[in-house]
Amino acid sequence: MRRRISFWIFPVSVVFLIFLAACMHGQRDSASWAVLSPATAVNGMVATQESLATQVGVQILKQGGNAVDAAVAVGFALAVTLPQAGNLGGGGFMMVHDAKSGKQVAIDYRETAPASAVKDMYLDANGNVVEERSRFSALSAGVPGTVAGLSLALERYGTLTLKKALAPAIRLAEEGIVVTEALTTSLEKHRETLIRWPETAKIFFKADGSSYAPNEVLRQKDLAKSLRKIAEEGPAAFYNGSIGEKLAADMRQQGGWITREDLRNYRVKIREPVRGTYRGHEIVSMPPPSSGGIHLIQILNILESENIQVLGAASPDTLHLMAESMKLAYADRSLHLGDPEFWKVPMRGLISKTYARKLGQLIDKKRATPAEAIKPHNPVPYESRETTHFSVMDRYGNAVSNTYTLNFSYGSGIVAAGTGILLNNEMDDFSAKPGVPNAYGLIGGQANAIEPGKRPLSSMSPTIVFRNKKPFLVTGSPGGSRIITTTLQIILNVIDHEMSLADATHAARIHHQWLPDRLEVEPGFAPETLKKLKNRGHRVELTEPFGSTQSILKIEGRFYGASDPRRKGALALGH
Ligand code: DON
């Protein structure tokens, strides 16, 4: 019987989809999207990198929770189910659209440099950067912000108690998760980083050092205890209680500089998002200490004067214009961007349409300008390697776009003894020495130099796009320096190229970050296109697929979710 039903489902759904497509032909807003998006729903939608976490979020929406409730529960759950990026020992950014007030806020829970941090802390006696120190040692960790950030989001914009929001994560850590193929592969890939630290090895590998195979159960007892403590005592358990004590003790032992004082002094910042417009849509994204929102809007501003809709997606002309705009933006990033509390970022200048027009005039339509011929510019004067993204929309009109990270997969690899909490290596996002690239090849100078209490510059770009003043597209991605360009391409694919959210997500991507001077292209472009780009002077390099967007689109009361197929295990699910 079951076979008979499934035998019929396929042809019936194809006929239905063709019918739907035919009915809606010409209705741009719903036609192709309705047919092609892999997840659709009317009450709400959750898209995350890990399917158990997605289900946690959907369950909360089903019980009447709002998007922030779901997002916070997802954030805690991912710390258990996606240990390479979900975290308690890292930091991130959450963009919230609050339907009641009609306003958006950017919650900045980025890590900070400890009070004892100094500018040259990663240089050796000869003044050379010691990557080992900024990436894989206890010194690489910034003061974590996640617990404070998620708790604050819940308190201000959620409806659940912290206890309720933490319950699914506690259960997953205590009872264990069924290991997926994606997790086995990830742990194997990062074995070297993890087994250096006995406390970490003990959690993520078996006693004999062997790996967890798919379908085996991974329990995280210490992490469960930490989560329980937070549920009972609130974020103070982490910042001014037993967890913080353990963390600081571990730091002392491993040579890290984070103290109890640093933890006590950690503050989440509620920031005004950075705003721009693109072809009638409003773009609301993350302000500094992320570079993401500013450069996303800057690139969109440059491209707005070009008719890329007519030039077409993936055409040499469109790709050329995109690459040249990216270079100009990333050059500016190297000079102008840093923590706004320590550096005056010329934000309004960088996102102004006038400045974009000026930059646009520098683009040679036929030739790639070599990176060395591009310098950071002066914006028109105006007064004044694992991360994870998730998106949630609910039936009440709220939307959450959240990107958070440990920086690399599993961060520094260090678990503070007794806590089960992996610590970030976000300090590598600072510019350890002017002109010396960080792990993502990004360079910077004074604006992003290390200073006590400062937040390292980020590229994370949780974004909400509004159409007719209503949340239309919620998106974001991991990918280090490529986060900005990945998010950009989802927006261009949806707005300019009118792709379904699924197609927008799947479409091959490009990336240029000024330095190194290379145009990275994912597999999937026509050889002829790549040849034309090379002929224009682009140093085209084929790369592994990058980014992992988790996006939701809302059109005419219906939610469309799409998880990036580039990484295993993700799920967009609605109800
Ligand atoms: O904040 C940033 O820009 C980086 N720490 C993000 C790292 C990242 O996305 C790695 N993921 N693949």
Side-chain angles (χ1 to χ4, degrees):
M1 180 66 185
R2 238 161 112 197
R3 269 185 66 190
R4 283 241 306 276
I5 290 174
S6 51
F7 176 78
W8 281 108
I9 281 177
F10 182 63
V12 166
S13 24
V14 168
V15 169
F16 175 69
L17 293 180
I18 292 170
F19 170 69
L20 203 62
C23 290
M24 293 177 162
H25 184 70
Q27 285 178 37
R28 177 187 152 184
D29 275 1
S30 47
S32 53
W33 283 310
V35 176
L36 291 172
S37 285
T40 71
V42 290
N43 287 320
M45 179 73 64
V46 180
T48 89
Q49 185 58 59
E50 202 285 318
S51 62
L52 291 171
T54 296
Q55 290 169 58
V56 163
V58 171
Q59 196 54 32
I60 291 203
L61 292 184
K62 274 188 181 166
Q63 290 161 359
N66 72 13
V68 176
D69 295 326
V72 170
V74 163
F76 284 123
L78 284 169
V80 182
T81 63
L82 190 76
Q84 60 268 47
N87 66 79
L88 301 184
F93 304 127
M94 182 183 283
M95 185 69 60
V96 176
H97 169 72
D98 175 43
K100 220 182 285 160
S101 63
K103 296 211 166 85
Q104 300 84 41
V105 285
I107 303 176
D108 166 2
Y109 57 98
R110 179 77 163 165
E111 300 90 330
T112 55
S116 54
V118 286
K119 187 160 162 265
D120 296 341
M121 62 190 281
Y122 301 118
L123 304 188
D124 65 14
N126 301 321
N128 297 319
V129 176
V130 187
E131 288 178 359
E132 176 69 21
R133 222 183 280 167
S134 69
R135 297 180 192 175
F136 300 108
S137 80
L139 273 185
S140 67
V143 183
T146 298
V147 174
L150 296 182
S151 308
L152 183 137
L154 189 70
E155 193 187 307
R156 298 231 177 143
Y157 302 100
T159 65
L160 293 182
T161 59
L162 188 58
K163 223 180 222 146
K164 282 234 165 78
L166 274 158
I170 295 173
R171 180 177 47 76
L172 289 161
E174 226 159 47
E175 293 173 11
I177 51 170
V178 176
V179 172
T180 57
E181 194 196 336
L183 183 54
T184 300
T185 313
S186 166
L187 287 169
E188 260 313 303
K189 187 168 161 204
H190 298 95
R191 173 180 274 274
E192 286 306 307
T193 314
L194 298 171
I195 57 168
R196 289 174 53 187
W197 312 97
E199 186 74 19
T200 312
K202 199 171 83 186
I203 300 169
F204 295 109
F205 295 95
K206 296 184 195 164
D208 64 356
S210 63
S211 305
Y212 282 93
N215 294 325
E216 290 187 325
V217 174
L218 172 68
R219 287 191 187 82
Q220 299 176 67
K221 292 276 184 225
D222 283 344
L223 183 58
K225 266 192 248 158
S226 294
L227 288 163
R228 237 181 228 295
K229 272 255 169 270
I230 299 168
E232 282 155 15
E233 297 168 21
F238 189 95
Y239 293 96
N240 199 12
S242 59
I243 303 173
E245 224 164 86
K246 284 186 192 148
L247 205 151
D250 197 77
M251 281 282 130
R252 274 198 303 278
Q253 200 164 31
Q254 318 265 16
W257 293 351
I258 299 176
T259 61
R260 294 199 60 192
E261 192 67 11
D262 286 319
L263 290 165
R264 261 198 297 273
N265 288 338
Y266 183 83
R267 293 288 175 276
V268 178
K269 306 268 173 180
I270 304 276
R271 299 188 188 277
E272 172 58 24
V274 56
R275 294 165 197 278
T277 57
Y278 186 66
R279 303 199 202 283
H281 297 76
E282 193 188 2
I283 314 290
V284 180
S285 191
M286 196 63 209
S290 178
S291 58
I294 286 185
H295 296 305
L296 177 66
I297 290 169
Q298 187 184 10
I299 299 170
L300 287 170
N301 282 345
I302 302 174
L303 292 175
E304 198 174 36
S305 316
E306 307 292 341
N307 206 350
I308 64 173
Q309 210 171 352
V310 172
L311 297 173
S315 70
D317 283 336
T318 298
L319 296 174
H320 174 77
L321 289 168
M322 285 163 64
E324 294 303 285
S325 317
M326 289 172 187
K327 280 189 228 174
L328 291 163
Y330 278 80
D332 280 354
R333 184 190 192 279
S334 72
L335 181 68
H336 295 298
L337 269 284
D339 181 341
E341 263 132 78
F342 290 76
W343 183 261
K344 193 157 175 17
V345 179
M347 180 161 103
R348 297 181 62 193
L350 286 166
I351 60 169
S352 89
K353 302 264 186 204
T354 321
Y355 181 50
R357 273 193 293 278
K358 196 177 124 193
L359 291 180
Q361 280 158 12
L362 300 173
I363 295 178
D364 181 335
K365 296 273 167 68
K366 293 283 161 232
R367 286 294 302 167
T369 306
E372 62 263 24
I374 297 175
K375 295 279 164 287
H377 292 87
N378 285 322
V380 233
Y382 231 110
E383 270 324 299
S384 127
R385 238 172 242 199
E386 184 73 53
T387 298
T388 195
H389 180 83
F390 53 87
S391 300
V392 184
M393 290 181 93
D394 67 21
R395 71 183 97 160
Y396 315 112
N398 303 301
V400 175
S401 186
N402 186 96
T403 317
Y404 73 156
T405 188
L406 291 165
N407 195 20
F408 289 12
S409 285
Y410 308 96
S412 61
I414 302 173
V415 168
T419 66
I421 297 173
L422 273 162
L423 290 174
N424 68 82
N425 59 346
E426 220 74 62
M427 293 290 283
D428 190 66
D429 277 352
F430 277 119
S431 173
K433 185 180 174 180
V436 175
N438 75 355
Y440 305 103
L442 292 167
I443 59 166
Q446 189 52 36
N448 191 30
I450 303 168
E451 291 177 69
K454 189 172 175 180
R455 284 155 147 89
L457 183 61
S458 173
S459 302
M460 293 188 286
S461 318
T463 299
I464 307 179
V465 177
F466 290 76
R467 178 180 274 185
N468 302 328
K469 305 216 176 300
K470 291 268 178 297
F472 167 64
L473 170 66
V474 183
T475 189
S477 178
S481 55
R482 296 161 173 146
I483 291 174
I484 306 170
T485 48
T486 298
T487 309
L488 169 81
Q489 284 165 86
I490 294 287
I491 296 174
L492 296 178
N493 288 346
V494 169
I495 295 181
D496 283 303
H497 305 307
E498 302 181 18
M499 291 185 195
S500 74
L501 189 59
D503 285 347
T505 303
H506 299 186
R509 297 173 183 149
I510 65 164
H511 171 73
H512 204 307
Q513 61 182 55
W514 174 50
L515 292 172
D517 190 358
R518 59 168 186 232
L519 176 60
E520 296 175 27
V521 299
E522 284 189 331
F525 290 100
E528 191 55 30
T529 303
L530 299 182
K531 207 164 117 197
K532 285 190 176 145
L533 288 168
K534 280 181 198 156
N535 289 343
R536 290 183 184 196
H538 291 282
R539 295 179 192 149
V540 175
E541 268 182 40
L542 197 66
T543 54
E544 297 276 306
F546 56 82
S548 184
T549 56
Q550 306 296 330
S551 317
I552 303 174
L553 195 62
K554 188 177 181 198
I555 302 163
E556 293 168 3
R558 182 165 278 273
F559 301 96
Y560 302 87
S563 285
D564 206 317
R566 286 166 180 76
R567 291 191 198 174
K568 285 185 200 152
L571 177 67
L573 192 67
H575 81 106

